[in-house]
Amino acid sequence: MREVVTRIWMNAISSGLSFSLDMESLFIDISDWTYGSSMGVDARGEVLWNMARHHLDDAGYSPPSDESSVEENDDERYDTHTTAAQVRRGKDIQGIPWEHYRPREVERKYRLEDYENYRSVPNSGEASGQDCKITKKGASLYDFRHNSRSVKSPILHFQLRNLVWATTNHDVYLASRYFVQHWSSLTQMKHTVLDVIGHVVPSENRPGNLMEGFTKTKISTLAIKDRLLILGGCQGELICKYLDRPEISFCFKITYYDDATINCAEIYTDPSGSVHFTASSNDCGVRDFDMERCQEKFILSAYLLLLQHTSLSPDRRLLVVVGDNPDVMLVDYDRGLTLMTLPGHLDFSFASAWHPDGFIFATGNQDKTCRIWDVRKLPEPVAVLKGNMGAIQSIRYTSDGRFMAMAEAADYVHVYDVNSDYGNEQEIDFFGEIPGFSFSPDTESLFICVGDRGEYGGSLLEYGHRRNYAYLDSLI
């Protein structure tokens, strides 16, 4: 990681760029983010790399052509692609040549021992395992299909991991600093669908639309549904674009608060058919945006509570709110009133999701647990699921409700069979930080992004829903 930052630094100096920046100021910024040494090693390196990029970007530095090779060096060390057939013959799913390193099981042992999970409450991860459900691991719910090292998404914020969205079983979108890219697993090709490194302006001149637009928007979160793309920025920017149109439709600025990072966005359709989306941010607020009327409605203000993630129930009546507080808030969405506060987690939360039935929801926390709640049985959770190594920073249910997956900060995605009362678990094991993952709407595909820039490199893992096709296979 130091070599990468140094190369960028030296490129800037050799290009004759003059700017006021020194390593001391850079590491002051890093220390503010890390709160000592509690952050995972890979996440610290990722933040350092991105902080260097952001400082240089702000200073006006445009990297020379060979700097892009730094980003792609991972592909040179290992094979660009790994197929299911190769994995069946014994190849590592990430293409890591373990014969040149210490054995994989030894590396895993050291990784589990050395990884430092970020926590806001001391020892929260160690104290949270007492009430966790014992699951039966080894289930085969999704099979490995393909790994591509030519497409990746870096860690843009060490706690925000909602940067990957699948729109079909072969189309996936990933946020990468100032870009949103589309990847097709059919053609094995990628292209940029949104570039916000320069000046962008909306195309629709309507009341409420910020016609002056934005410049150099640093991406913090991403949401896509029904051809609508919502991009959130680190300074309160919201950019809306329809994927079937070349131009940007809307730009919103939620606040001019110093730290107004958009932490989460969710798209939904109201009973009248109007498209809306919710956005939660570091200004302690949740807002609802009406895309038809280009109007903003303030839903909730949580005094001094940074709202890290929200999830709207399928019937659009209840909102799950989690943030910089161990308790979970259940909110009446129409009135903005807190109906119930749910204790149980021991640290801050950054993930939540509703089951399609509208009764069950899940929350993920830095205490390494995911708690499953039933609105009919509150205030106690119906199950507590334990991670292996890091905070639970992303949760997704399949559209049919059969499976629930949770991603740790690094190395593990756990897929559960909901019909077994979360008792059967598939543990997907790899190496690297996780910017995000997504099920396809038809549940057939699972995409996992590995954003690590360290020893293991970044890539996009693709899994397919396992089907029992034994009879058809015999005919083939």
Side-chain angles (χ1 to χ4, degrees):
M1 183 59 57
R2 180 177 298 174
E3 293 177 358
V4 173
V5 175
T6 302
R7 285 186 59 183
I8 299 174
W9 197 277
M10 294 307 296
N11 283 337
I13 294 174
S14 63
S15 66
L17 180 68
S18 175
F19 54 92
S20 58
L21 174 66
D22 54 30
M23 290 302 289
E24 182 180 358
S25 67
L26 176 61
F27 280 101
I28 287 174
D29 288 337
I30 295 302
S31 66
D32 288 342
W33 279 36
T34 58
Y35 298 94
S37 61
S38 59
M39 188 192 303
V41 174
D42 287 342
R44 285 202 302 270
E46 193 68 35
V47 171
L48 174 59
W49 195 93
N50 282 294
M51 287 293 292
R53 283 296 297 266
H54 290 165
H55 276 300
L56 293 172
D57 287 336
D58 291 339
Y61 168 60
S62 180
S65 58
D66 66 338
E67 195 275 326
S68 62
S69 65
V70 176
E71 183 173 335
E72 301 300 332
N73 271 349
D74 297 333
D75 299 333
E76 298 174 3
R77 291 182 292 152
Y78 312 131
D79 292 340
T80 303
H81 300 278
T82 306
T83 66
Q86 291 173 323
V87 170
R88 286 194 294 268
R89 293 195 293 267
K91 187 175 181 178
D92 181 78
I93 61 171
Q94 293 176 269
I96 300 174
W98 293 108
E99 62 273 14
H100 301 313
Y101 301 94
R102 56 192 177 195
R104 190 182 194 278
E105 58 274 15
V106 175
E107 180 68 14
R108 173 54 66 203
K109 176 178 178 294
Y110 283 116
R111 178 85 161 167
L112 288 170
E113 293 174 352
D114 297 341
Y115 187 85
E116 299 179 27
N117 176 48
Y118 181 86
R119 54 196 176 274
S120 303
V121 178
N123 302 317
S124 61
E126 293 74 18
S128 62
Q130 300 177 1
D131 56 351
C132 291
K133 184 182 184 70
I134 298 176
T135 61
K136 182 180 179 181
K137 297 184 179 181
S140 297
L141 308 176
Y142 280 79
D143 292 326
F144 175 81
R145 285 180 181 168
H146 188 269
N147 178 55
S148 173
R149 302 183 69 86
S150 62
V151 58
K152 61 197 71 175
S153 176
I155 303 294
L156 305 177
H157 187 291
F158 70 96
Q159 291 171 314
L160 304 180
R161 308 296 182 93
N162 301 295
L163 302 175
V164 179
W165 286 86
T167 56
T168 72
N169 58 22
H170 53 79
D171 292 295
V172 61
Y173 294 82
L174 307 94
S176 177
R177 282 189 217 92
Y178 302 102
F179 305 92
V180 177
Q181 292 187 323
H182 166 256
W183 167 259
S184 171
S185 61
L186 292 180
T187 64
Q188 298 290 299
M189 296 180 65
K190 64 180 179 181
H191 73 277
T192 299
V193 298
L194 183 57
D195 177 353
V196 293
I197 194 170
H199 185 62
V200 296
V201 295
S203 61
E204 301 188 23
N205 188 3
R206 298 172 60 181
N209 207 354
L210 191 66
M211 298 308 297
E212 59 264 36
F214 303 115
T215 300
K216 198 172 290 186
T217 302
K218 298 174 183 178
I219 300 173
S220 60
T221 193
L222 179 70
I224 301 177
K225 184 178 181 181
D226 297 333
R227 308 302 296 172
L228 174 63
L229 180 153
I230 305 296
L231 182 151
C234 293
Q235 296 298 322
E237 307 97 332
L238 282 165
I239 298 175
C240 309
K241 171 184 168 58
Y242 290 95
L243 295 176
D244 53 359
R245 304 176 191 174
E247 68 280 352
I248 291 172
S249 294
F250 300 100
C251 289
F252 301 98
K253 179 80 170 180
I254 64 166
T255 181
Y256 290 90
Y257 181 69
D258 288 342
D259 181 12
T261 301
I262 305 295
N263 296 322
C264 170
E266 183 178 10
I267 304 168
Y268 73 96
T269 303
D270 71 8
S272 69
S274 178
V275 177
H276 292 240
F277 70 90
T278 63
S280 58
S281 67
N282 273 1
D283 73 340
C284 308
V286 180
R287 294 167 173 81
D288 183 289
F289 293 85
D290 186 336
M291 292 294 294
E292 303 297 328
R293 299 179 177 86
C294 199
Q295 293 179 349
E296 171 189 345
K297 177 184 177 183
F298 205 84
I299 298 297
L300 173 70
S301 178
Y303 181 63
L304 295 181
L305 173 62
L306 302 187
L307 305 182
Q308 303 295 354
H309 202 273
T310 58
S311 293
L312 187 60
S313 63
D315 61 5
R316 297 167 296 279
R317 294 181 179 179
L318 298 175
L319 184 73
V320 174
V321 179
V322 297
D324 287 4
N325 187 295
D327 294 339
V328 177
M329 297 168 58
L330 194 61
V331 175
D332 183 311
Y333 192 68
D334 289 334
R335 296 182 295 166
L337 299 178
T338 301
L339 302 176
M340 188 174 291
T341 300
L342 307 174
H345 282 301
L346 303 181
D347 209 314
F348 297 172
S349 297
F350 288 85
S352 61
W354 280 91
H355 187 280
D357 68 5
F359 297 111
I360 307 294
F361 63 92
T363 54
N365 192 275
Q366 289 179 160
D367 64 7
K368 302 183 185 179
T369 68
C370 171
R371 292 181 178 262
I372 311 298
W373 312 83
D374 188 328
V375 295
R376 299 161 295 187
K377 301 178 181 180
L378 297 176
E380 298 297 323
V382 296
V384 182
L385 307 173
K386 182 74 170 178
N388 294 328
M389 196 170 75
I392 307 303
Q393 294 191 308
S394 186
I395 302 172
R396 297 282 188 273
Y397 279 96
T398 54
S399 58
D400 60 5
R402 286 190 57 191
F403 305 112
M404 188 275 285
M406 67 180 196
E408 300 185 38
D411 290 23
Y412 290 99
V413 171
H414 308 263
V415 185
Y416 296 90
D417 182 354
V418 175
N419 293 334
S420 68
D421 196 23
Y422 302 87
N424 294 331
E425 174 190 353
Q426 177 182 359
E427 190 176 84
I428 300 176
D429 169 12
F430 49 91
F431 291 84
E433 296 283 324
I434 306 172
F437 76 95
S438 180
F439 288 108
S440 62
D442 61 3
T443 77
E444 288 299 314
S445 296
L446 169 62
F447 295 95
I448 304 169
C449 187
V450 184
D452 186 65
R453 291 185 179 277
E455 182 177 356
Y456 311 111
S459 64
L460 182 67
L461 296 165
E462 179 188 355
Y463 284 77
H465 187 190
R466 168 167 282 202
R467 302 290 187 181
N468 190 2
Y469 289 144
Y471 177 74
L472 294 178
D473 289 344
S474 67
L475 294 179
I476 296 175

